[in-house]
Amino acid sequence: KAGVTQTPRYLIKTRGQQVTLSCSPISGHRSVSWYQQTPGQGLQFLFEYFSETQRNKGNFPGRFSGRQFSNSRSEMNVSTLELGDSALYLCASSSDGTYGYTFGSGTRLTVV
Amino acid sequence: AQSVTQPDIHITVSEGASLELRCNYSYGATPYLFWYVQSPGQGLQLLLKYFSGDTLVQGIKGFEAEFKRSQSSFNLRKPSVHWSDAAEYFCAVGSGGGGSQGNLIFGKGTKLSVKP
């Protein structure tokens, strides 16, 4: 069974640009969550989608957005990138969001 | 507000020695508790989880954790550490409205080093 796949693995962007990260959950999983990991703030919840609907949202500015498609694949978008957005972005999937999540290896975003 | 505290930022143990990583949580209702491990440059791997029932939970790789409601703790233990256990360990509590556990609150992590 394939795990959670995140693409790309590494990304370098310039301040002010926007970026889209992709996450393919485990087959059959309908819940996808996104987290930002930085050395200073640790792991912080961004948002969760279940069956194409956003169920929960963390305390991030509106520049951070996401969506989920009918096949459960999810994307997150960050507009007007700032240096502080440099982080490891982790995606996690669960069959129904209630019994623990399987995480992907993450996308390392560097903003220069 | 819900929170998770891992008091130890960095722990070093000798290979073969026992290990205990501490985790304290603050949560109003019955918590869903998790331990994850992260190797450098990798995502998080679930070691074990507690939802209800037996307060001693067995996980993968020989790890176990004990839920103590009176102490708001969920400490992770392993009787004999292997060099491959060197990694960063995260305790997390499940939090979310509408029955969703998608919002995990993580502790800051404990980095484990293993001496040969």
Side-chain angles (χ1 to χ4, degrees):
Chain A
K1 198 174 188 180
V4 178
T5 303
Q6 291 189 246
T7 56
R9 285 298 309 273
Y10 302 92
L11 206 48
I12 300 175
K13 289 287 188 179
T14 304
R15 268 185 304 175
Q17 287 186 315
Q18 76 166 20
V19 67
T20 299
L21 311 181
S22 180
C23 172
S24 293
I26 291 172
S27 178
H29 283 192
R30 295 188 295 165
S31 172
V32 173
S33 291
W34 288 88
Y35 291 82
Q36 181 196 64
Q37 186 177 25
T38 60
Q41 298 299 316
L43 282 151
Q44 294 184 285
F45 171 75
L46 282 157
F47 26 66
E48 184 224 358
Y49 288 88
F50 183 83
S51 294
E52 302 179 68
T53 300
Q54 188 180 87
R55 262 198 322 195
N56 276 306
K57 188 177 190 304
N59 189 25
F60 277 81
R63 300 185 297 107
F64 292 82
S65 63
R67 59 178 175 169
Q68 187 180 32
F69 302 96
S70 58
N71 61 359
S72 293
R73 191 177 70 84
S74 177
E75 289 181 347
M76 68 163 281
N77 183 276
V78 187
S79 62
T80 320
L81 284 165
E82 301 176 0
L83 295 178
D85 297 333
S86 295
L88 180 66
Y89 289 88
L90 293 165
C91 166
S93 76
S94 167
S95 57
D96 61 2
T98 60
Y99 292 104
Y101 280 74
T102 300
F103 281 78
S105 296
T107 293
R108 172 75 62 184
L109 171 65
T110 302
V111 182
V112 297
Chain B
Q2 297 90 350
S3 65
V4 176
T5 302
Q6 293 180 247
D8 304 305
I9 297 173
H10 190 187
I11 284 182
T12 300
V13 300
S14 298
E15 191 168 16
S18 63
L19 171 71
E20 182 169 26
L21 302 182
R22 296 183 291 165
C23 172
N24 293 99
Y25 67 89
S26 172
Y27 190 72
T30 300
Y32 285 24
L33 294 162
F34 307 83
W35 275 100
Y36 285 88
V37 60
Q38 185 179 37
S39 298
Q42 298 299 312
L44 299 170
Q45 182 182 22
L46 179 66
L47 287 174
L48 46 78
K49 57 184 181 279
Y50 171 80
F51 292 155
S52 64
D54 193 348
T55 56
L56 186 62
V57 181
Q58 302 297 321
I60 63 171
K61 303 185 179 186
F63 286 93
E64 67 177 27
E66 186 171 12
F67 170 60
K68 293 185 177 180
R69 185 186 298 276
S70 61
Q71 298 176 21
S72 297
S73 69
F74 188 57
N75 294 349
L76 181 71
R77 300 193 294 247
K78 186 169 185 178
S80 178
V81 169
H82 188 262
W83 64 267
S84 60
D85 293 324
E88 191 155 19
Y89 292 79
F90 294 91
C91 181
V93 62
S95 167
S100 163
Q101 300 301 314
N103 179 6
L104 290 177
I105 296 171
F106 285 87
K108 294 292 190 184
T110 297
K111 186 174 180 181
L112 173 66
S113 297
V114 181
K115 289 190 301 185

